[in-house]
Amino acid sequence: MIYLKDEAIVLQTVQVGEKDLSITVYLKNLGKENIYIKGGQIIKNPFLTTVQQFNWFKGVLIKYKEKLFIKEIDKSYNLAINISQNLDSFFTASKILETFNKYTTFPDKKMFNLLKKTFYFLPRAKNKELLQTAFLIKYIYLHGIFPTFGKCIKCKTKINSRNFQNFILENKGSLCKRCSRVRKTDLTYEDIVFLSKIFKTKYSKMINLDFSHSKLRLLSKKLNDYLKINFS
Ligand SMILES: [Zn+2]
């Protein structure tokens, strides 16, 4: 039997039979793991409210025969309640989790912190789509696949509004007018400037900002496509 201190974010909660729960968590040190909670569906279970999707907790886990159990919870933050109060934030958080679940396969403390911060600020943000787009670009950076926005991938010339020709997702970078004649582009010059800007902006500075929702939805879709291309 091994005792482990760790922090967790609940990615998924699944009911097992009539009484038990199986949760998938992302742990700060161990990464993605399943935890079995005997009697987790019973109202008087001390862990019941803590182990809901989106929540953060810190505690002691026990590893026994390759399985993880919760020994005690020292501190927790009920993000689930804040997120679920607003339908928009609930759907956005679900989409963020879906992406995170799909592409996070190894333990990474920075990714853990990014997810935790995103869920903390999401209910407070005026524009949920903006936070989702910001999450995606920051997440792409942590994967080490940040696109080459500012330089032409062929000739390395600095890109500006006059020489920018295209940004095609498969290329993972911009091309200048001298290197490409293709006018069709997945991202416009304004898009890459915008994405570079929100990449550097802290969530705390972002929660009062507002931009076109349809534009942000389109950018989020492109960033999800970008992840797909990089991981296929
Ligand atoms: Zn070029």
Side-chain angles (χ1 to χ4, degrees), residues 152 154-157 176 179:
C152 169
K154 241 185 195 167
C155 72
K156 314 285 177 216
T157 301
C176 77
C179 297

